[in-house]
């Protein structure tokens, strides 16, 4: 028996008279307004603010270190160890904190749309709105269908419980602690709902590889002939935006897994960034913010959201279930991908807007995970910050990135997948300095790649990065395709590009024992 069961807290939280279980969307919405947690908007969404924490807090995230995990987890800056006793004493405090509330909430459902691989989860929250978030983001069980099976994971979220770092062994008042052994995720001190979904994703990134399933930080959609595409990318690179496509069916916007049977969504809902959201540019996302959706940190006046107001954060969010998008696939499973797109938001304006990757380049760029952290998603990031985030999702990977990369490589090979690198970042030239490449052009490039329109198009070689750039893409100004032509001077382009290439090489040094063909698929330019 484990320590939690032995403790005085044998009574589970659920089952207590003050625990409201599996309330409906309507009931939760009423609770949220009655308890003063938030307001409803003109479209029936719920609007809440999260206070101090408006993005993820990576410094506050820990994994409980046990003998079994010692050699399995890739310990370091992302996966910081915390000892079992520290976890247990904090767990007891948090549970008591919840038990002492007049009311708290519980949702039972699943992570994983494929019945063979799904993980039963329980999300126990102090706030009604976090429970609505969980209901919308995870997968609902059919009535009476929920089966804890071989082990349910419990997420406990108690934002008003603030840790004392000195006493409790945390980094700050906020903490996100994962115990794989106890199957518990303990969250306190922060109200940002993204912690709930991304910590479950971290758990899936640990569990699924054991079942020979590859978890992926990507969105997914499928055309009407069944051709599946994946869009990998770190936060803000366009997974949610670009996967919402009226011409294709949405499978999911953020977390998927690839099994021997095909792909499946880990979640049942989407979590879209809302900064600058307009019906004109992103109609599907805009129209999903209806009854039961949750708006986080969006300023509303008389119930009308102002998506241009970033006074609380750049990282404003909307959470809604997949069924709010009319062309979505629920249950969200599909076949093997035919095309994979790596999204990168290059802040230095030197990566081409689209290039085709051969197999070795695909591996090289997946392992590198070059992009920028965008303002707001992580605490302390206020402007685009270049980063190498392995597998385009380093913050969520408990295992060594090689595990995931090797699995992806095998699958790309086996299924003959086409891979493209698309830069959704900042470009020099025609649209003004410091502007992101217009969304309409990125969409046109994605369309061309997915419809096979680039298969017959010649390509030109990128002089610094060695990427194959299509010479033309329908509906995209030709000049935009080759960054060295958009810069005012070739020399300044070259300098910047060489600097970035050098960073690629430097970052890749951490990968030892890699096939030389993959190492050589990096940038052509090498610093002397
Ligand atoms: N060229 C572009 N491609 C994709 N997104 C863009 C582009 N230009 C601006 N954006 C904006 O960037 C944000 C992308 O965020 P999102 O799709 O939520 O990323 P992710 O899901 O990867 O975190 C959206 O707010 C979108 O409107
Ligand atoms: C929710 C997050 O991810 P994304 O922006 O990819 O949706 C996050 O990183 O906190
Ligand atoms: Mn997203």
């Amino acid at each position: 028996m484990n320590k939690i069961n032995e403790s005085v807290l044998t009574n589970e939280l659920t089952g207590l008279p003050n625990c409201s279980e599996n309330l409906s969307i309507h009931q939760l919405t009423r609770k949220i307004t009655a308890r003063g947690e938030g307001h409803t908007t003109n479209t029936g969404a719920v609007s809440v603010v999260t206070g101090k924490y408006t993005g993820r807090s990576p410094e506050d995230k820990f994994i409980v270190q046990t003998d079994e995990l010692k050699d399995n987890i890739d310990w370091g800056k992302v996966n910081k160890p915390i000892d079992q006793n520290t976890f247990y004493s904090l767990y007891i405090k948090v549970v008591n904190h919840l038990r002492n509330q007049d009311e708290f909430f519980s949702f039972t459902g699943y992570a994983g749309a494929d019945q063979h691989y799904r993980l039963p989860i329980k999300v126990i929250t102090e706030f009604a709105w976090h429970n609505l978030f969980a209901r919308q983001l995870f997968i609902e069980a059919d009535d009476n269908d929920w089966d804890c099976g071989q082990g349910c994971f419990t997420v406990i979220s108690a934002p008003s419980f603030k840790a004392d770092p000195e006493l409790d062994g945390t980094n700050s008042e906020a903490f996100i602690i994962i115990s794989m052994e106890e199957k518990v995720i303990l969250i306190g001190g922060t109200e940002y709902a993204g912690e709930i979904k991304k910590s479950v994703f971290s758990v899936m990134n640990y569990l699924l590889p054991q079942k020979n399933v590859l978890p992926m930080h990507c969105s997914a959609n499928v055309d009407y002939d069944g051709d599946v595409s994946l869009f990998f990318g770190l936060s803000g690179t366009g997974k949610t935006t670009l996967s919402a496509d009226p011409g294709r069916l949405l499978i999911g916007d953020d977390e998927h897994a690839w099994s021997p049977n095909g792909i499946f969504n880990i979640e049942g809902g989407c979590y879209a960034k809302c900064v600058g959201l307009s019906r004109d540019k992103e109609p599907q996302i805009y129209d999903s913010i209806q009854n039961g959706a949750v708006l986080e940190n969006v300023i509303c006046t008389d119930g009308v959201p102002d998506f241009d107001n970033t006074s609380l954060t750049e990282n404003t969010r909307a959470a809604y279930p997949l069924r709010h998008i009319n062309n979505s696939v629920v249950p969200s499973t599909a076949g093997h991908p035919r095309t994979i797109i790596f999204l990168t938001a290059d802040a230095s304006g030197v990566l081409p807007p689209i290039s085709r990757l051969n197999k070795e380049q695909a591996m090289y760029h997946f392992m590198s995970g070059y992009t920028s952290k965008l303002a707001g998603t992580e605490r302390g990031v206020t402007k685009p910050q270049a980063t190498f985030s392995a597998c385009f999702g380093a913050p969520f990977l408990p295992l060594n990135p090689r595990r995931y990369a090797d699995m992806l490589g095998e699958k790309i090979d086996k299924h003959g997948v086409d891979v493209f690198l698309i830069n959704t970042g900042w470009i020099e030239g025609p649209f003004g300095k410091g502007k992101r490449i217009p969304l309409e052009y990125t969409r046109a490039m994605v369309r061309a790649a997915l419809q096979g329109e680039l298969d017959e198009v010649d390509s030109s070689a990128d002089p610094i990065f060695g990427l194959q750039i299509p010479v033309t893409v329908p509906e995209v100004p030709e000049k935009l395709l080759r960054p060295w032509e958009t810069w005012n001077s070739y020399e300044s382009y070259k300098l910047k590009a060489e600097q970035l290439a050098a960073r690629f090489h430097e970052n890749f040094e951490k990968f030892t024992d890699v096939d030389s063909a993959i190492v050589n698929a990096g940038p052509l330019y090498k610093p002397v």
Side-chain angles (χ1 to χ4, degrees), residues 197-198 217 235-236 238-241 253-254 271-273 317:
K197 67 166 246 145
K198 288 295 202 205
H217 191 217
S235 185
K239 295 182 299 299
T240 302
T241 302
D253 81 322
D254 195 46
Y271 192 42
K273 277 196 187 344
R317 294 278 179 166

Side-chain angles (χ1 to χ4, degrees), residues 351-390:
L351 282 185
I354 182 165
S355 52
R356 186 192 280 275
L357 305 183
N358 64 28
K359 192 195 140 207
E360 288 74 26
Q361 287 175 324
M363 290 302 285
Y364 182 91
H365 284 276
F366 188 64
M367 289 165 75
S368 298
Y370 168 72
T371 186
S372 306
K373 285 185 185 172
L374 301 202
T377 3
E378 285 186 5
R379 265 174 85 68
V381 179
T382 52
K383 58 176 208 264
Q385 196 180 90
T387 185
F388 289 89
S389 188

Side-chain angles (χ1 to χ4, degrees), residues 218-221 229 231 239-240 243-244 249-256 263 265-270 322 328-329 332:
C218 68
S219 59
N221 63 20
S229 324
F231 305 75
K239 295 182 299 299
T240 302
S243 58
L249 299 160
L250 180 65
I251 299 166
D253 81 322
D254 195 46
E255 308 171 5
H256 292 79
I263 62 146
N265 193 347
I266 289 175
E267 306 179 290
C270 304
L322 269 161
S328 60
V329 183
S332 310

Side-chain angles (χ1 to χ4, degrees), residues 348-350 428 433 463-465 482-500 525:
S348 54
V350 295
E428 288 291 308
K433 218 176 160 57
I464 310 287
F465 296 98
R482 293 171 289 277
W484 57 93
E485 291 177 12
T486 60
W487 282 61
N488 278 339
S489 105
Y490 184 79
E491 277 313 306
S492 27
Y493 156 78
K494 186 164 170 277
L495 187 68
K496 199 79 177 183
E498 287 178 352
Q499 279 169 356
L500 180 60
Y525 169 83

Side-chain angles (χ1 to χ4, degrees), residues 13-15 18-23 28 104-108 121-127 131 134-135 154-155:
L13 284 166
T14 47
N18 51 343
C19 179
S20 296
E21 294 184 28
N22 288 319
L23 298 190
L28 284 168
F104 62 96
F105 305 88
S106 163
F107 161 79
T108 45
I121 53 168
K122 219 182 252 187
V123 186
I124 302 175
T125 64
E126 178 178 355
F127 295 155
N131 223 263
R135 170 162 292 275
T154 304
V155 184

